[in-house]
Amino acid sequence: MSETSMDGPVWIPTEPPSLETFLAPTLQPIPLIPAIAVVLGVLYLAGALRLWGQRRRWPVWRALCFLLGCAAAAVTMGAGVEGYGLKMFSVFIFQQLTLMMAIPPLLVLGSPGTLLLRATPHRGLGTVVLRLAHTGLRSPLARIALHPGFTIPLFLITYYGIYLSDLDDRLLPTWYGHMGLELVFLASGVLFTIPLLSNDPLPAKQGYGARLLDVALEMPLHAFFGVVLMMATTPIVEFFATPPASWDLDPMADQKTAGGLAWAYGELPTVLILVFIAHQWFRADTRQARRADAEADANGTPELDAYNAHLERLAAQSPSRPAR
């Protein structure tokens, strides 16, 4: 059925929730995020095809990652799950975790910034696009937005600041507030993930140790929030306390399911990110060791040779001890 009580046209299903109804291809009257996902996917694919058509290399796995991220965003926000997310806390938390934890790594691993710089023509409108991209990259705002001092507090706000205050009950009843929160979830996830996984040019590169520390600081945030939801004896968000009667849904049981998702589903992408960073760190150290060995084979080791010569001079200058 279609409703306008959320200060905008929305579609809320009448059938009780099930896997079939969750995955049913049912767009909202204003499918903003699915439209953004489709546009980004088309632009990315056009850039990759342009490079491949020019016989220039672009990793297929990066293209698959980005397109999979766009598809996940389109399905999460464009199928029936979005309609149930308007009234079910567990579904809304699932969407939040997907937008913040699952989709951003796929988008970031696609290296869209590097593709933009390589595939954009250096003439006409392309010159303007490239100039804007370089200006944004060098801007102080980009440096601040990608700094852990900004991204980690933003993660805190998207959980505790929203749900443990009355901000959620103010925003969720309106279509604009609901959609705005979903856009904030996606943006905060992308900003947090870029310094960790991005291979694109960045205002500043973090060391691998700092990246692991950032992930370790983030991991307990949604896990503890999940525990809070599961242990609560009253609804955390009043907006989700009155689901449609036809769904035959217990709001407190649904809230406990939301807590379980925040605890379990939120941890899996984080663990995978940790493993990926550790693997990248190992590969970087291995490459550095190989370069050092190759340079030593080609040019010798001047510092080590000078040190050994110094030790030999000291040994020659020291008086020999008389034999006993």
Side-chain angles (χ1 to χ4, degrees), residues 96-170:
Q96 176 178 354
L97 292 168
T98 304
L99 290 171
M100 293 182 66
M101 305 298 300
I103 294 174
L106 294 171
L107 299 179
V108 172
L109 287 174
S111 293
T114 302
L115 179 64
L116 174 69
L117 297 176
R118 292 186 184 179
T120 303
H122 290 70
R123 62 182 182 276
L125 182 61
T127 304
V128 178
V129 173
L130 291 174
R131 186 178 295 114
L132 290 174
H134 284 290
T135 301
L137 182 65
R138 299 190 184 101
S139 67
L141 181 60
R143 186 178 295 272
I144 294 173
L146 297 176
H147 193 276
F150 176 80
T151 58
I152 293 178
L154 182 60
F155 248 78
L156 278 171
I157 293 173
T158 53
Y159 287 103
Y160 302 95
I162 290 176
Y163 295 112
L164 301 185
S165 67
D166 62 349
L167 185 60
D168 46 9
D169 285 317
R170 291 172 180 265

Side-chain angles (χ1 to χ4, degrees), residues 13-224:
T14 55
E15 300 85 359
S18 65
L19 181 61
E20 181 181 357
T21 55
F22 280 152
L23 298 179
T26 310
L27 288 174
Q28 290 291 320
I30 306 178
L32 180 59
I33 292 182
I36 294 174
V38 170
V39 170
L40 290 178
V42 169
L43 291 176
Y44 186 99
L45 186 58
L49 290 174
R50 187 171 191 272
L51 292 184
W52 293 331
Q54 297 173 346
R55 298 188 180 279
R56 297 165 62 188
R57 183 179 177 276
W58 184 254
V60 175
W61 73 269
R62 291 197 181 275
L64 291 176
C65 281
F66 191 89
L67 295 177
L68 182 59
C70 292
V75 171
T76 303
M77 307 305 300
V81 64
E82 169 67 354
Y84 289 100
L86 297 172
K87 291 294 185 179
M88 286 181 65
F89 195 14
S90 61
V91 176
F92 188 69
I93 286 291
F94 169 79
Q95 290 179 292
Q96 176 178 354
L97 292 168
T98 304
L99 290 171
M100 293 182 66
M101 305 298 300
I103 294 174
L106 294 171
L107 299 179
V108 172
L109 287 174
S111 293
T114 302
L115 179 64
L116 174 69
L117 297 176
R118 292 186 184 179
T120 303
H122 290 70
R123 62 182 182 276
L125 182 61
T127 304
V128 178
V129 173
L130 291 174
R131 186 178 295 114
L132 290 174
H134 284 290
T135 301
L137 182 65
R138 299 190 184 101
S139 67
L141 181 60
R143 186 178 295 272
I144 294 173
L146 297 176
H147 193 276
F150 176 80
T151 58
I152 293 178
L154 182 60
F155 248 78
L156 278 171
I157 293 173
T158 53
Y159 287 103
Y160 302 95
I162 290 176
Y163 295 112
L164 301 185
S165 67
D166 62 349
L167 185 60
D168 46 9
D169 285 317
R170 291 172 180 265
L171 295 176
L172 289 173
T174 69
W175 179 86
Y176 306 98
H178 188 97
M179 182 58 59
L181 282 178
E182 291 172 336
L183 290 172
V184 168
F185 297 154
L186 180 59
S188 62
V190 170
L191 290 177
F192 179 78
T193 307
I194 285 176
L196 303 177
L197 303 180
S198 180
N199 197 44
D200 292 335
L202 297 177
K205 287 280 189 180
Q206 282 186 298
Y208 290 103
R211 301 182 197 186
L212 291 176
L213 179 61
D214 289 349
V215 178
L217 289 174
E218 182 275 332
M219 285 185 71
L221 298 182
H222 47 75
F224 182 72

Side-chain angles (χ1 to χ4, degrees), residues 243-265:
S246 61
W247 292 0
D248 191 24
L249 184 70
D250 179 4
M252 290 307 300
D254 185 58
Q255 180 170 289
K256 286 180 169 42
T257 302
L261 286 171
W263 185 18
Y265 178 33

